Amino acid sequence: MCVLGLGLIGGSVMRAAAAAGREVFGYNRSIEAVQAARFDGFDVTEHLGEALDRAAGSDALIVLAVPMPALPILLGHIREAAPDCPLTDVTSVKGAVLREVEQFGLLDRFVGGHPMAGTAHSGWAAGNAGLFIGAPWVVSVDDHVDAQVWTLVTQLALDCQAVVVPARSDEHDAAAAAISHLPHLFAETLADIAGEVPLAFALAAGSFRDGTRVAATAPDLVRAMCEANAGQLLPALEQGIELLTRTRDALASSGSVAELVEKGHAARMRYDSFSRPEIITTVVGTENWRDELAAAGRAGGMIRSALPVLGSQR
Ligand code: NAD
C-alpha cells in the first residue's frame, strides 16, 4: 500500500500497517518529514511521481492522508499516473471528498474512510502505531462502492486494530458534525470566552482543559473540516444556538438551567452505556450488501473481523 501524506494520521497509518506486516511505502512533500520517516526505517520519498508509478506497478491501495484543500492536486496526479489503483482516504468529511473524487473520474476504485482517532498535534513525529487501536474507522458504503475495494479498505482498518463502522457519506457527515465539528466550534468558543479574563486562566482546571482540548488543533485543519462540512454543520450549529438561547431565556426568566442540564446529562449517560453490536452476518457483494451494512452502522453496529465475501472462501 501507498500512503500519500505522512502527518499525524498518514504517519500513524504507515506505522500501524507496517507493524501488522503489510508492505507499505509513502510520499510526503516536505523533505524534513521524509528524512525523519526514513530515519525511523520507512520506505518513503518526496517525489510524488515516483510513489505513484510504484503504486501503479504493484496495484497498491493508495491512502490519501492530506488535508481536504490538498486533495485536488493529488487526485490530479493519481488520475494521470495510477488511475486503476484502489483508493481510500482518511479525511474528516466524506461527502465533499466523494464529490471531489467523482470530478476527477476516480469514483470506481474509491471507498472513503475516516479513522475517528487523533490528537491535537501534527506531522510525522506526532504519529504512532497504536493510534487506531479500538477506535471506530468509518468505511463508506455509498451506492457506487465496489465490494473488492471495500474489503481492502476494511482490512486496512482492521490491520490497524480499529473497529470498522460502515456508513453512507452523508450520514457520516451529519454524525461527524454533531460529535466532532460542532465540539470544535464550541471548544473555540469556550477558550475565547475564558481568554478575555486572565483570572479565568489562573483558575482553569479539568472542565476547561477537557472542554477546550480540541481548540489546540492547528486552525487550518479545523477550518478545513468544518468548512468542507458546512451543509451538515449549519443545522447542528443552529440546534446548538437554539438550545443555548432557550437556556439563556430560562435562566433569565426563572433562574433555572434544568432543561438543558437534564437533557445533556441523560444523553451523556446513554452514550456511556451505548452498546456496539458486532456485525457478522452480512456477506459482502451480495444483493443489498451496502444497504444492509449502512443500516447496521446506523444502528451502532461495528465490524471487528473480516466479513465473508461473495465467491471467496473466507
Ligand atoms: P498533518 O498536518 O499532521 O499532516 C498533513 C499531511 O499532509 C502532511 O504530511 C503534509 O505535508 C501533507 N500536505 C499538506 N498539504 C499538502 C499539499 N498541498 N500537497 C501534498 N501534501 C500536503 O494532518 P493530519 O492530522 O494527519 O490530517 C490529515 C488528514 O487526516 C486530514 O484530512 C484530516 O481531516 C484527517 N484526520 C485528522 C484527524 C486528527 O485528529 N488530526 C483525525 C482523523 C482524520
Side-chain angles (χ1 to χ4, degrees):
M1 54 179 277
C2 168
V3 183
L4 304 181
L6 303 174
L8 168 69
I9 302 298
S12 298
V13 170
M14 179 168 249
R15 290 174 175 97
R22 297 176 71 121
E23 190 191 327
V24 51
F25 57 95
Y27 150 82
N28 199 76
R29 76 175 167 169
S30 82
I31 184 72
E32 292 79 16
V34 167
Q35 282 168 345
R38 272 196 197 129
F39 182 80
D40 291 339
F42 291 90
D43 184 0
V44 298
T45 174
E46 70 277 24
H47 303 294
L48 180 58
E50 199 181 290
L52 291 179
D53 286 347
R54 190 169 162 193
S58 54
D59 198 25
L61 170 65
I62 298 177
V63 182
L64 291 159
V66 296
M68 182 78 208
L71 283 182
I73 304 169
L74 292 190
L75 289 170
H77 287 280
I78 292 170
R79 180 173 59 188
E80 294 310 311
D84 298 325
C85 283
L87 181 64
T88 187
D89 74 317
V90 297
T91 322
S92 313
V93 293
K94 299 273 54 80
V97 173
L98 201 62
R99 289 188 285 279
E100 210 54 84
V101 171
E102 190 169 18
Q103 273 190 10
F104 282 85
L106 293 168
L107 209 52
D108 286 358
R109 304 288 284 154
F110 176 73
V111 173
H114 180 200
M116 308 294 300
T119 72
H121 302 288
S122 300
W124 171 261
N128 78 82
L131 186 66
F132 309 110
I133 295 174
W137 186 316
V138 175
V139 179
S140 70
V141 281
D142 298 307
D143 295 337
H144 75 277
V145 159
D146 174 79
Q148 196 200 358
V149 181
W150 190 87
T151 303
L152 283 177
V153 176
T154 295
Q155 194 55 54
L156 168 63
L158 294 174
D159 284 349
C160 292
Q161 297 184 60
V163 290
V164 170
V165 178
R168 294 180 57 89
S169 289
D170 53 348
E171 294 185 85
H172 162 277
D173 285 355
I179 57 92
S180 173
H181 307 154
L182 189 62
H184 269 284
L185 294 188
F186 280 175
E188 312 285 4
T189 308
L190 296 175
D192 185 50
I193 291 171
E196 290 169 11
V197 189
L199 178 62
F201 277 173
L203 301 185
S207 294
F208 181 75
R209 276 197 306 273
D210 292 350
T212 60
R213 182 182 62 80
V214 294
T217 308
D220 284 353
L221 279 179
V222 179
R223 283 192 55 189
M225 60 187 168
C226 290
E227 292 168 8
N229 197 24
Q232 300 288 356
L233 180 53
L234 278 168
L237 193 53
E238 252 154 46
Q239 201 184 338
I241 292 168
E242 200 186 300
L243 273 174
L244 287 175
T245 304
R246 272 222 309 276
T247 306
R248 180 201 61 196
D249 292 349
L251 184 61
S253 62
S254 67
S256 171
V257 293
E259 189 190 340
L260 178 65
V261 171
E262 275 160 27
K263 267 175 85 162
H265 180 72
R268 175 65 208 213
M269 293 297 107
R270 287 203 302 280
Y271 166 72
D272 285 340
S273 59
F274 185 68
S275 75
R276 293 151 201 250
E278 184 170 357
I279 303 170
I280 44 174
T281 52
T282 303
V283 179
V284 177
T286 50
E287 205 189 348
N288 294 332
W289 69 276
R290 302 179 198 85
D291 290 343
E292 228 176 81
L293 286 179
R298 199 175 298 132
M302 297 188 171
I303 298 162
R304 297 180 190 278
S305 57
L307 291 175
V309 182
L310 186 67
S312 95
Q313 293 303 316
R314 258 213 314 248

